[in-house]
Amino acid sequence: MKARRVYAGWPKPAHFDRNLVVIGAGAAGLVSSYIAAAVKAKVTLVEKHRMGGDCLNTGCMPSKALIRSAKLLSHMRRSNEFGIRSARAEFDFADVMERVHAIIKTVEPHDSVERYTSLGVEVIEGRAKIVSPWEVEIARNDGRHETLTTRSIIIAAGARPTVPPIPGIEDVGYYTSDTIWTLHALPRRLLVLGGGPIGSELAQTFARFGAAVTLVVKGRRIMPREDAEVSEMVMARFRAEGIDLRTGHDTRRFVVENGEKILIAEHQGQEVHVPFDVLLVAVGRSAQLKGYGLEELGVPTGRTIDVNEYLQTSFPNIYAAGDVAGPYQFTHTAAHQAWYASVNALFAPFRKFRADYSAVPWATFVDPEVARVGLNEQEARERDIPFELTRFDIADLDRAIADGEAHGFVKVLTVPGKDRILGVTIVGEHAGDLIAEYVMAMRHGLGLNKILGTIHIYPTLAEANKYAAGEWKRAHAPQKLLEWVGRFHAWRRGSGGRPTAAARPATPSQR
């Protein structure tokens, strides 16, 4: 009945040109169209700009390539820690950026028109507009126009950097995470607005190349979604590497005085002036909601497109996935949602699946790296969810000691009295890789006992996961049973049933 009401006034075609039309060729769009082609549906993918979306062209790939080069420089500065008396590097920042763009070019074929065409997807380069629940009007980049009828539509239009309307910002000029990759000269003084993942990653990266970086945030700390101790650990590293952290600074306006660009902010009731040469705005990303027919159809939107648990919009045959749908803005969650959106779009009403967000991981690729899945302490306390906390300090991990990276921790939240995992935070080298074991455990209902009973190669960083499980087990050891077992072994020694000494706790390498 509800569907009939929403479709009232929209004539439904008797036949359809396509089973599915996908708008946007970022992670969600690529995966959606690939799945449709794999199950032999007739699918068209429309992209107005570049295949691969933000992740390939302006996000994940270029940022990680730049981070890798900066990390090499940071290791050279630490050469004496590794027994090397001195090490130095000569570089031109333009060459570094050339490498970044070369890496994009290397990965580009994976997301290319040619590849997806070979997989059975019709790829059209142009602009799409939904003109009815079953019709998509396409203006091709070559000037041609056409209208396709389709049984279902998936919107995967992505997001764009948010630029706040701060007075004077247009006068001083700025870069965002979309445009910073056009920079070929290292800024002498870089001002970064925003302490989320993007701002934090790029602030540290540019500082390692030698820029004088000032990071300005309105709150008391960077990375506010993480536990306070996580933020403090990262902030301590930033300060040690020379980043000027300005927390509690409320940006008021930008001015140019005597040819110099200046940020004017308020801090503890006082006006503060921060001079800079280049501005990077990294205060978040906004879903792309305009330009492809949502307003005309009356599809409800807020910060994102309103979707239900099946990723359906107010029109049951129109779905949304990725950044444009929320609630997460990660490439891997866009791909995850794309599976649900495409399967539901192709097989509803015969079969539908609710999108599962029970174990969504993410990582911030600062140094030390930070990775999360599920709840952290901050969220559990805010939501009044009971938990037990188990912690293993990576400073005790043999491989981390050998690598000169003996810092950070694994922190696990579990149901009180049980080994069921509620959430995990890892801070340290390759945290984004280490978290995968816990993601799988949470997704498939495996507890810490299963992780403890799994063989981990020695010496590896992954042993930290097992040792964290061991810490939980030791805290839940059956003391009365162990006391009885101690008497049993004493009896077998002929000691009259009295244990002679308590066992010394094992070191990590003995565990």
Side-chain angles (χ1 to χ4, degrees):
M1 293 290 292
K2 186 177 179 181
R4 286 179 181 177
R5 284 196 299 269
V6 78
Y7 287 120
W10 298 102
K12 186 176 181 178
H15 304 282
F16 298 96
D17 300 321
R18 302 290 184 270
N19 297 100
L20 180 65
V21 171
V22 181
I23 300 173
L30 291 173
V31 174
S32 295
S33 57
Y34 169 78
I35 291 172
V39 298
K40 306 305 179 183
K42 194 169 185 181
V43 55
T44 294
L45 172 64
V46 186
E47 170 55 48
K48 68 179 181 180
H49 193 204
R50 290 181 290 186
M51 295 286 287
D54 298 325
C55 185
L56 171 63
N57 298 291
T58 61
C60 313
M61 291 312 302
S63 65
K64 302 313 164 281
L66 193 65
I67 287 169
R68 182 64 186 90
S69 295
K71 190 163 189 174
L72 175 62
L73 291 177
S74 75
H75 282 164
M76 289 184 174
R77 295 188 185 104
R78 296 170 52 199
S79 62
N80 61 333
E81 296 179 28
F82 302 96
I84 309 298
R85 289 182 181 176
S86 67
R88 60 187 297 271
E90 294 182 3
F91 71 93
D92 188 319
F93 189 72
D95 295 335
V96 175
M97 293 301 279
E98 186 176 326
R99 173 183 177 269
V100 168
H101 289 284
I103 286 172
I104 295 172
K105 288 291 184 186
T106 302
V107 178
E108 223 169 44
H110 302 167
D111 298 342
S112 65
V113 172
E114 292 76 16
R115 177 168 184 256
Y116 276 79
T117 300
S118 72
L119 292 170
V121 178
E122 180 192 33
V123 181
I124 297 178
E125 296 177 276
R127 292 181 175 271
K129 184 174 182 179
I130 306 169
V131 293
S132 89
W134 299 282
E135 293 178 296
V136 179
E137 188 179 86
I138 302 170
R140 291 176 179 258
N141 290 347
D142 62 10
R144 291 180 292 159
H145 289 74
E146 63 187 294
T147 299
L148 296 177
T149 57
T150 178
R151 178 168 284 280
S152 297
I153 299 167
I154 293 178
I155 301 168
R160 65 185 185 281
T162 300
V163 179
I166 304 169
I169 193 169
E170 299 295 337
D171 297 330
V172 298
Y174 59 87
Y175 290 91
T176 67
S177 58
D178 276 2
T179 60
I180 193 71
W181 315 109
T182 63
L183 194 63
H184 290 283
L186 183 69
R188 185 170 65 90
R189 298 174 301 179
L190 176 67
L191 173 64
V192 180
L193 283 189
I198 295 172
S200 297
E201 288 178 3
L202 292 178
Q204 185 179 43
T205 299
F206 275 90
R208 287 180 163 184
F209 283 113
V213 176
T214 302
L215 178 58
V216 174
V217 294
K218 185 176 181 179
R220 293 179 297 174
R221 56 188 177 94
I222 65 172
M223 300 168 60
R225 294 185 65 181
E226 309 299 340
D227 286 335
E229 66 172 321
V230 174
S231 296
E232 291 297 335
M233 183 174 286
V234 176
M235 289 166 66
R237 174 66 70 87
F238 279 17
R239 292 188 179 102
E241 294 187 4
I243 296 175
D244 182 5
L245 278 175
R246 302 291 186 97
T247 59
H249 281 61
D250 190 4
T251 299
R252 293 302 188 189
R253 62 189 184 278
F254 292 97
V255 298
V256 179
E257 295 180 354
N258 299 320
E260 184 173 54
K261 300 174 183 180
I262 298 173
L263 163 68
I264 299 176
E266 183 181 320
H267 177 62
Q268 297 180 348
Q270 301 294 318
E271 190 172 88
V272 177
H273 289 217
V274 182
F276 65 94
D277 298 310
V278 171
L279 170 63
L280 171 63
V281 179
V283 295
R285 296 178 63 82
S286 304
Q288 300 270 21
L289 302 175
K290 297 185 182 299
Y292 48 89
L294 295 184
E295 306 96 322
E296 290 84 347
L297 262 67
V299 174
T301 63
R303 297 183 64 182
T304 57
I305 297 175
D306 292 351
V307 294
N308 64 12
E309 56 198 343
Y310 300 104
L311 298 175
Q312 293 170 301
T313 68
S314 56
F315 290 92
N317 72 310
I318 301 178
Y319 297 75
D323 291 357
V324 77
Y328 302 96
Q329 289 188 339
F330 307 123
T331 297
H332 48 279
T333 50
H336 179 70
Q337 287 179 322
W339 185 91
Y340 292 95
S342 57
V343 170
N344 291 342
L346 294 167
F347 296 104
F350 306 106
R351 193 72 170 92
K352 291 198 301 184
F353 298 87
R354 294 178 175 87
D356 180 3
Y357 303 118
S358 59
V360 175
W362 65 82
T364 302
F365 296 92
V366 290
D367 190 0
E369 207 165 283
V370 178
R372 277 265 315 274
V373 62
L375 293 173
N376 63 5
E377 277 191 88
Q378 177 175 282
E379 291 173 343
R381 296 187 195 284
E382 288 172 353
R383 293 160 60 179
D384 199 26
I385 296 175
F387 66 90
E388 286 187 22
L389 175 64
T390 301
R391 180 185 176 114
F392 173 74
D393 287 323
I394 294 177
D396 294 329
L397 185 65
D398 293 358
R399 179 55 185 269
I401 294 169
D403 286 352
E405 302 294 349
H407 54 260
F409 55 81
V410 178
K411 186 162 60 171
V412 185
L413 275 62
T414 50
V415 173
K418 299 181 179 180
D419 73 336
R420 185 165 72 85
I421 303 166
L422 296 173
V424 181
T425 297
I426 302 179
V427 180
E429 191 78 352
H430 292 294
D433 299 312
L434 299 181
I435 201 75
E437 185 170 19
Y438 287 110
V439 178
M440 185 184 71
M442 291 181 67
R443 180 67 180 82
H444 297 287
L446 305 177
L448 290 178
N449 280 313
K450 295 294 186 183
I451 292 177
L452 182 61
T454 301
I455 298 173
H456 292 67
I457 295 172
Y458 177 87
T460 59
L461 295 174
E463 286 186 296
N465 294 340
K466 181 172 183 175
Y467 296 154
E471 294 292 335
W472 179 90
K473 189 71 172 179
R474 188 158 31 258
H476 293 80
Q479 296 302 326
K480 291 185 178 180
L481 176 61
L482 290 175
E483 185 179 341
W484 183 90
V485 172
R487 289 198 298 270
F488 168 76
H489 289 304
W491 169 75
R492 297 195 74 183
R493 295 193 305 273
S495 303
R498 289 177 305 216
T500 56
R504 181 175 66 87
T507 64
S509 58
Q510 291 170 330
R511 289 196 295 270

